[in-house]
C-alpha cells in the first residue's frame, strides 16, 4: 500500500498551504469580525485564478483536472487559514461537480468555465428548505412544466453564498404523485433570473464571513434546458453529490482541528506555570497525543474515501464515516486546544475561540452526525432492510 502523494497532489497541497499562510491567516480574524464581503470576494477571485474553484473539473472546461485526494488536501490547508473561505470554496467545487457529472454538454460549456475562472464568485447548492433539512426528500418547492419553460415556486433555507453566486443548483418536486424522493428534479438557475429572490443573511455562531441566505422562487421561469439530468431523477444527484461534498466538509473540519492543535502545541512549549513549561505536564502531553492521533485517523479516513471515489468504487459509506469522525474529533480538538490556552484561549487576542466557533457547524451541515450514522448503519445492515 502506497501512502505517498503524487507530485501533483503535493503541489496542490503546498499551493493551498502557501495561500492560507500568506493570504488567509492575516485576514481571518478581520473576516470573522467584520464579515467584509469585498475582502472575501477578493480572496475567492484569487483562489479561482489559482485553480481552486474547479479542482476536479476537466481542464477542457477551465478546471484543474486534479483528483479528489488533491481536493481534500487543498480544503484542509485552506481551512487552516480561514474556515469561511474554505467552506465557500468547497461548496463551489461541489456545484461545479454536479454540472460536470450530470450536466449536458451545453450546460458544461456554459457554466463550468465561469465557475472555474472566478467570473462567477461562487456557486450555490439549493437543497435545504424550512420544512426539510435532514429529510431533504420531503421538500415542497415545485417546478411545473409550462411550454418550453419550467416555473419554480418555493423556499430554500441556509443557502451558502446565495448573495453572490452566479449559478444555483436547485432541487424541486416535478411529480407530486410519485413516491417520496422519486418525483424530484434538479435545475440550474442563473443569478438575476426574475423570480429568484435572495433573502436575509443568517447571523451565525461561526464561519461568519461565509454567507448563508434564504432563497425563494416566486413564479421563477427558467428554460426547460435548465433541467440537469432526467426529470424526476434529481434526488439521486443530490445524494451522490452530497457524498462527495462530505469529503470536503470532513477535510475542512480536519484543517481547523489541526490548526488549533498546532497553536496549542506551540503555546504549551512557551507558557510556564509552577516553574515549568506547560508542555512538561504529562496530563497535557497525553491530551495532545490523543488529539493528534484522532486527527491523523480522520485524515486517513478522508484519504480512503477520496481514493475510493477516484477509483470509481463505492465511497458513500466511507465518506460518511470520514465526515462523522473528522467533524466530531475536530470539535474536540478545538476545545482541547482552547483549554490548553487557559483564559487567553477564550479571548479574541488568540484565534482559538474563533476556531471553536467555526468548527461547530461541521457536525451539522451537509448531513448532521446523526444522518451520517444513519447512512453508515443502513450500509452495515442492508440485510435487515
Ligand atoms: C451555515 C450553514 C450553511 C449551510 N449551507 C447549505 C447549503 O449551501 N445548501 C443547503 O442545501 N443546505 C445548507 N445548509 C443546511 C444544512 O445542511 C442543514 O441545516 C442540515 O442538513 C440539518 O438540517 P436541519 O437544520 O433542518 O435540521 P433537522 O433536520 O431539523 O435536524 C434537527 C436535529 O434532529 C436530528 N435528526 C433529524 N433526523 C434524524 C433521524 N432520522 N435520526 C436521528 N436524528 C435526527 C438532526 O441530526 C439534528 O440534530 C446549511 C446550514 C448552515 C447552518
Amino acid at each position: 500500500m502506497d501512502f505517498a502523494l503524487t507530485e501533483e497532489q503535493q503541489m496542490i497541497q503546498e499551493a493551498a498551504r502557501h495561500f492560507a499562510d500568506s493570504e488567509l491567516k492575516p485576514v481571518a480574524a478581520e473576516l470573522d469580525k467584520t464579515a467584509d464581503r469585498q475582502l472575501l470576494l477578493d480572496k475567492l477571485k484569487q483562489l479561482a485564478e489559482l485553480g481552486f474553484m474547479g479542482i476536479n473539473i476537466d481542464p477542457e472546461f477551465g478546471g484543474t483536472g486534479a483528483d479528489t485526494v488533491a481536493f481534500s488536501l487543498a480544503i484542509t490547508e485552506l481551512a487552516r487559514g480561514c474556515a469561511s473561505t474554505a467552506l465557500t470554496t468547497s461548496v463551489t467545487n461541489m456545484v461545479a461537480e454536479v454540472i460536470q457529472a450530470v450536466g449536458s454538454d451545453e450546460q458544461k460549456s456554459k457554466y463550468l468555465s465561469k465557475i472555474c475562472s472566478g467570473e462567477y464568485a461562487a456557486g450555490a447548492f439549493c437543497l435545504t428548505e424550512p420544512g426539510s433539512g435532514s429529510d431533504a426528500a420531503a421538500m415542497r418547492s415545485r417546478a411545473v412544466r409550462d411550454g418550453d419553460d419550467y416555473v419554480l415556486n418555493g423556499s430554500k433555507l441556509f443557502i451558502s453564498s446565495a448573495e453572490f453566486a452566479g449559478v444555483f443548483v436547485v432541487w424541486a418536486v416535478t411529480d407530486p404523485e410519485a413516491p417520496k424522493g422519486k418525483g424530484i428534479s434538479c435545475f440550474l438557475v442563473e443569478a438575476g433570473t426574475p423570480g429568484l429572490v435572495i433573502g436575509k443573511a443568517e447571523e451565525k455562531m461561526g464561519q461568519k464571513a461565509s454567507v448563508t441566505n434564504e432563497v425563494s422562487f416566486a413564479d421563477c421561469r427558467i428554460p426547460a434546458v435548465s433541467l440537469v439530468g432526467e426529470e424526476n431523477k434529481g434526488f439521486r444527484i443530490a445524494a451522490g453529490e452530497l457524498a462527495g461534498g462530505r469529503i470536503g466538509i470532513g477535510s475542512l473540519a480536519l484543517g481547523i482541528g489541526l490548526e488549533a492543535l498546532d497553536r496549542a502545541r506551540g503555546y504549551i512549549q512557551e507558557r510556564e506555570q509552577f516553574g515549568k513549561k506547560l508542555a512538561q505536564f504529562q496530563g497535557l502531553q497525553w491530551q495532545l497525543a490523543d488529539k493528534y492521533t484522532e486527527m491523523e485517523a480522520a485524515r486517513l479516513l478522508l484519504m480512503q474515501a477520496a481514493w475510493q471515489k477516484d477509483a470509481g468504487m463505492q465511497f458513500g459509506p466511507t465518506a460518511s464515516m470520514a465526515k462523522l469522525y473528522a467533524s466530531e474529533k475536530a470539535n474536540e480538538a478545538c476545545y482541547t486546544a482552547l483549554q490548553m490556552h487557559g483564559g487567553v484561549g477564550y479571548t479574541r487576542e488568540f484565534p482559538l475561540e474563533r476556531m471553536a466557533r467555526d468548527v461547530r457547524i461541521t457536525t451539522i451541515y451537509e448531513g448532521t452526525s446523526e444522518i451520517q450514522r444513519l447512512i453508515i448503519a443502513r450500509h452495515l445492515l442492508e440485510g435487515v432492510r
Side-chain angles (χ1 to χ4, degrees), residues 127-140 155-157 180:
L127 184 66
T128 304
E129 298 189 357
S132 60
S134 300
D135 188 9
M139 70 178 62
R140 306 276 298 273
S155 299
K156 298 285 176 180
L157 190 64
K180 194 174 170 190

Side-chain angles (χ1 to χ4, degrees), residues 125 127-128 133-134 158-160 212 361 364-366 368 370 374:
F125 191 90
L127 184 66
T128 304
S134 300
F158 298 140
I159 305 307
S160 300
T212 318
I361 183 65
I364 297 174
Y365 56 23
E366 294 201 23
T368 63
E370 292 72 33
L374 204 116

Side-chain angles (χ1 to χ4, degrees), residues 42-53:
D42 290 347
K43 298 299 164 197
L44 297 177
K45 182 76 182 158
Q46 283 176 279
L47 281 165
E49 282 161 5
L50 290 167
F52 286 109
M53 288 302 175

Side-chain angles (χ1 to χ4, degrees), residues 38 115 254 321 359:
Q38 193 52 50
I115 297 174
L254 173 66
M321 286 180 185
V359 80

